[in-house]
Amino acid sequence: MSGPVPVIVAVLGLGEAGSLISHDLVAAGAIVRGFDPQAAGPEGVIPTGSDAEACAGAGLVLSLTTAHEAEAALRAAAPGLAPGTLYADLNTGSAGLKLRLAALAEGYGAAFADVAMMAPVPGRGIATPMLVSGPAAAQVTAVLNGLGAKAEVLPGPPGAAASRKLVRSVFYKGMAAAVVESLRAAGAAGCEGWLRENIAEDIGAAMVNRLESGSITHAVRRADEMAAAAELLAELGIPARIAAASRDWLVQLAQESSSPTPGSRGQSSEGR
């Protein structure tokens, strides 16, 4: 007697997050087809030559590119999307972007879900807590959880999950900006070691290091995220003082990086 038919999942974007999640999907028994023009997937992922080729035959598509490339990836994937294909966008973007993607997906005959990853992916992989909203939220959540995810349906339209992620990011990215700026000031004042230990007493040395290194390593992506957060706060009628300041600080950090390391189109592995 034959067993259950394996789920076929297409992963668009095989950066840190895409690779970690793809690895776990393969381990869970899914057939994973991946595409990234600049990165190879982990062992077990079937490489393809385009977004459309990756999506051919897939029941679920996970877009793990970046917010900047999310729309282009969906358009490129369109020829490979069969009617009713579940298309989940896991990129950290604005509610407006998610609504545009949902409209595009509907036009291509796909069922769209907005997925927000609510914690860092390393150490969690597919089990990273996720919020899922949009017309296909229930279906996408069911498939993901069947493969080991910890996804939760959030009632509401595309963008509802993204908005939860962004308002949360105001706190985490704001705290990261405060840590980096204060340590630089302490360095100029000749007391960086003292301040680092002082902050570590409150939030832990590992957290200090993660906030500092993450702000520098992922400055470009985080700047985009905080720009989207500032836009959201403006729409809500809330002065975006922290979000805007964090955005500007991250833009500066990105500009200070004189030799950025070429990477894939995919997301970093952080979720906040």
Side-chain angles (χ1 to χ4, degrees):
M1 183 172 64
S2 61
V5 177
V7 177
I8 301 177
V9 183
V11 178
L12 311 182
L14 295 168
E16 293 170 309
S19 291
L20 290 168
I21 290 174
S22 295
H23 172 273
D24 288 353
L25 289 172
V26 171
I31 296 173
V32 182
R33 299 167 58 84
F35 174 68
D36 190 309
Q38 295 178 301
E43 184 176 356
V45 174
I46 300 170
T48 60
S50 69
D51 293 295
E53 184 181 343
C55 294
L60 172 64
V61 179
L62 302 181
S63 178
L64 284 149
T65 60
T66 63
H68 273 313
E69 296 184 333
E71 183 172 336
L74 174 51
R75 291 184 183 277
L81 298 175
T85 300
L86 300 176
Y87 192 98
D89 185 87
L90 283 73
N91 301 299
T92 302
S94 67
L97 172 62
K98 300 288 185 165
L99 286 168
R100 292 196 300 275
L101 293 174
L104 276 174
E106 182 180 3
Y108 296 139
F112 183 85
D114 163 23
V115 181
M117 294 187 290
M118 304 302 290
V121 177
R124 297 178 177 88
I126 190 62
T128 301
M130 304 177 196
L131 292 178
V132 190
S133 67
Q139 300 98 303
V140 167
T141 297
V143 175
L144 286 173
N145 287 348
L147 293 168
K150 294 183 178 179
E152 176 185 350
V153 174
L154 178 67
S163 294
R164 292 281 182 99
K165 171 73 177 286
L166 290 174
V167 295
R168 186 171 180 270
S169 293
V170 174
F171 171 73
Y172 282 104
K173 302 306 186 294
M175 179 169 65
V179 165
V180 176
E181 184 171 320
S182 64
L183 288 175
R184 287 197 174 187
C191 58
E192 180 180 349
W194 167 83
L195 181 61
R196 186 179 294 274
E197 292 179 4
N198 191 270
I199 297 174
E201 288 177 3
D202 291 326
I203 65 174
M207 177 64 82
V208 173
N209 292 335
R210 197 183 96 198
L211 293 174
E212 181 182 25
S213 62
S215 294
I216 296 169
T217 303
H218 306 299
V220 173
R221 191 201 63 78
R222 287 188 174 189
D224 290 342
E225 182 176 336
M226 295 317 295
E231 291 176 9
L232 172 63
L233 266 60
E235 293 172 0
L236 296 172
I238 305 298
R241 298 184 180 93
I242 302 301
S246 300
R247 174 201 63 205
D248 295 345
W249 178 231
L250 287 161
V251 168
Q252 178 183 327
L253 291 178
Q255 292 172 343
E256 288 175 358
S257 178
S258 58
S259 55
T261 301
S264 74
R265 74 196 299 212
Q267 290 188 38
S268 68
S269 59
E270 60 178 358
R272 67 185 186 191

